[in-house]
Amino acid sequence: MDVMIETLISEQEIDRRIREMADELSGIYAGKELKLVGILKGSVFFLSELAKRLSIPVTLDFISVSSYGNGTEPGAEILLSKDMDDPVEGQNVLLVEDILDTGRTLKKVIELMNRRNPASLAVVTLLDKPSRHIADVELLMTGFTIPDKFVVGYGLDYAQNYRNLPYIGVIE
Ligand code: IMP
Ligand code: MG
């Protein structure tokens, strides 16, 4: 595809921020075990980097939901296409997502998780786009607050492309 991508957040900035977040999370969950639940596929790069930096015992699970087609605007429907492998009852669950945009996806996933009685439930995202929030979702922590631009890279896609860019960019 012949498009220009302008860097919004560099690989170095992301790396530094994820280390900070991991340190803070290791403090918050000190003495506990943490289950990271990644929302596929956008969260995988962020989750991997974050998980490696945590100094507490961690387990991983994944869920797959889709709210987007192949465009840049959200559809109204959220589809659960892959559930977690293991139960979360009685566990400290940290939902890991690439971005909080309208919040519709996370709100649905939070509702689903809460019905399964985790000991605690919190949410972290790499990015937050406050100008787009519709559903009310509370974040424990976010990596970067960004303006209302469609971004790609570090897990985020445009029509499934660009997820593997090591930085966050804006399509020109
Ligand atoms: P929400 O339900 O509107 O918060 O959107 C959630 C999902 O939309 C995210 O997990 C992303 O997959 C996708 N999304 C939202 N904004 C962007 C963007 O700027 N670039 C790529 N994907 C996005
Ligand atoms: Mg996504």
Side-chain angles (χ1 to χ4, degrees):
M1 272 191 264
D2 193 20
V3 291
M4 294 286 291
I5 295 173
E6 191 197 332
T7 304
L8 183 67
I9 309 168
S10 73
E11 190 174 1
Q12 290 75 12
E13 285 175 274
I14 298 169
D15 188 67
R16 198 185 319 126
R17 180 66 185 127
I18 293 178
R19 285 168 189 273
E20 263 175 29
M21 294 173 82
D23 285 347
E24 206 180 326
L25 288 167
S26 298
I28 292 171
Y29 290 97
K32 295 179 177 163
E33 285 184 23
L34 187 60
K35 171 167 279 186
L36 300 180
V37 177
I39 304 180
L40 294 172
K41 314 181 185 83
S43 71
V44 295
F45 295 82
F46 174 43
L47 182 141
S48 311
E49 290 306 308
L50 188 68
K52 286 191 287 182
R53 316 287 176 216
L54 290 169
S55 56
I56 46 171
V58 160
T59 58
L60 309 179
D61 210 338
F62 294 92
I63 196 168
S64 184
V65 293
S66 39
S67 61
Y68 270 59
N70 282 342
T72 58
E73 279 304 307
E77 285 302 309
I78 276 111
L79 226 91
L80 176 65
S81 46
K82 185 219 172 290
D83 203 344
M84 294 173 297
D85 291 333
D86 301 309
V88 294
E89 186 165 352
Q91 299 176 45
N92 297 299
V93 174
L94 186 63
L95 271 174
V96 182
E97 174 61 313
D98 51 4
I99 187 168
L100 176 60
D101 188 38
T102 68
R104 285 191 185 109
T105 308
L106 272 170
K107 187 154 179 130
K108 292 276 178 204
V109 176
I110 290 165
E111 285 166 8
L112 179 92
M113 288 293 165
N114 273 328
R115 288 201 292 274
R116 298 175 178 184
N117 300 314
S120 70
L121 179 65
V123 185
V124 294
T125 64
L126 178 61
L127 305 175
D128 184 20
K129 253 190 224 176
S131 57
R132 297 259 306 168
H133 292 184
I134 294 171
D136 189 28
V137 172
E138 198 188 321
L139 296 178
L140 175 62
M141 207 178 287
T142 194
F144 302 90
T145 298
I146 62 165
D148 186 8
K149 290 189 171 157
F150 193 82
V151 292
V152 293
Y154 224 88
L156 292 128
D157 72 301
Y158 173 66
Q160 298 302 326
N161 289 105
Y162 310 114
R163 290 193 196 274
N164 62 318
L165 295 178
Y167 56 91
I168 299 286
V170 177
I171 297 181
E172 296 288 282

